[in-house]
Amino acid sequence: MKEGIKNIIFDFGGVVFNIDESRTVNAFAQMFQCGVPDLFRKFMGANGLFERFERGELSTDDFLSTIQSVVPSAITREQIISAWNSVLIGYPEEHVQLLLKLKKKYRTFLLSNTNELHTREFIKFAENQKLPIHSNHDLFEKVWYSNEIGMRKPDPRIYEYALKDAGIKAEETMFVDDLQQNVDAASSVGIYTERITPEHGIMQIFSEWV
């Protein structure tokens, strides 16, 4: 337990919610009829399609239309959405129970790089898994989705925005993420950080905090 911490900001995918990014990458590579390196060059590099979608610079309709313009004509929007959402696996129930307990003792927040298609699915997962929550808003005091606030980690401005919006101090705040660049960016604005790994998850970090 870190002394002086009053606030905890959580990343979502890979921290709170289980994901497998390789499932979507492979699905899109097959859909585009190209290799994975070509996919990254075309859409995650110069074009930056996925990042633009996560910053809310593209509407869902524009995102899907852009993909449809370059995939074989037989590919439907429903297939694109299915491939895009295949990254999502589900909430570990023990994570939900831990976060509900932490919320009673600390100010807890969610800061996620995400998009409208995925946020719709989070609600469906909570319902289908019969969890004691309706959405992420039941787990946290505030939820910041990148596509709604127009910024994306690891831009340092997104952490400064979160601190200001919540009215909290960096030195009293912990940020938890599974990506080193996001952890480093949070540290650069004075926030205490913990990096999640397969062996060092939120159950290991916070089990003694509740």
Side-chain angles (χ1 to χ4, degrees):
M1 185 179 299
K2 177 68 174 176
E3 189 173 346
I5 295 297
K6 299 178 181 179
N7 323 293
I8 311 167
I9 303 176
F10 291 86
D11 175 38
F12 190 59
V15 175
V16 170
F17 188 94
N18 286 344
I19 60 172
D20 184 351
E21 293 180 346
S22 68
R23 302 202 312 186
T24 286
V25 171
N26 291 332
F28 270 92
Q30 184 176 6
M31 191 178 297
F32 285 117
Q33 298 180 350
C34 67
V36 172
D38 291 332
L39 174 70
F40 274 79
R41 278 195 297 271
K42 186 178 289 188
F43 290 101
M44 297 183 184
N47 191 10
L49 178 69
F50 298 160
E51 291 188 3
R52 289 163 59 206
F53 189 35
E54 286 192 339
R55 286 194 297 266
E57 296 168 6
L58 284 177
S59 68
T60 296
D61 185 65
D62 287 341
F63 174 72
L64 295 173
S65 295
T66 301
I67 295 177
Q68 277 194 301
S69 70
V70 293
V71 298
S73 58
I75 300 295
T76 67
R77 283 196 169 203
E78 289 70 26
Q79 288 174 297
I80 295 170
I81 292 171
S82 178
W84 181 248
N85 287 338
S86 64
V87 65
L88 306 174
I89 296 176
Y91 292 89
E93 187 172 351
E94 63 270 23
H95 289 186
V96 172
Q97 296 298 336
L98 174 68
L99 290 165
L100 289 172
K101 292 175 183 177
L102 282 170
K103 188 179 180 182
K104 295 178 180 179
K105 298 184 66 175
Y106 301 90
R107 296 185 67 187
T108 59
F109 307 89
L110 183 67
L111 179 61
S112 175
N113 285 350
T114 191
N115 58 86
E116 185 182 34
L117 286 173
H118 284 173
T119 59
R120 294 175 188 171
E121 293 299 304
F122 303 156
I123 296 173
K124 295 178 185 177
F125 272 96
E127 180 180 357
N128 292 339
Q129 291 185 243
K130 297 180 169 37
L131 298 174
I133 59 170
H134 173 67
S135 72
N136 287 329
H137 293 274
D138 297 319
L139 288 175
F140 305 97
E141 179 180 331
K142 278 180 176 285
V143 173
W144 299 295
Y145 291 140
S146 61
N147 65 301
E148 294 178 357
I149 61 177
M151 291 176 280
R152 185 180 182 277
K153 294 176 293 183
D155 184 342
R157 294 177 302 166
I158 200 170
Y159 306 98
E160 294 169 345
Y161 172 90
L163 293 172
K164 183 177 181 180
D165 188 55
I168 57 180
K169 298 178 181 179
E171 62 270 21
E172 296 176 347
T173 302
M174 174 188 283
F175 173 66
V176 184
D177 199 293
D178 60 328
L179 297 180
Q180 189 63 51
Q181 61 265 35
N182 295 343
V183 167
D184 290 343
S187 294
S188 74
V189 299
I191 298 173
Y192 179 77
T193 60
E194 284 276 356
R195 185 182 176 191
I196 294 296
T197 67
E199 301 77 27
H200 186 65
I202 62 173
M203 299 305 296
Q204 287 73 35
I205 297 172
F206 295 109
S207 59
E208 296 182 0
W209 290 46
V210 295

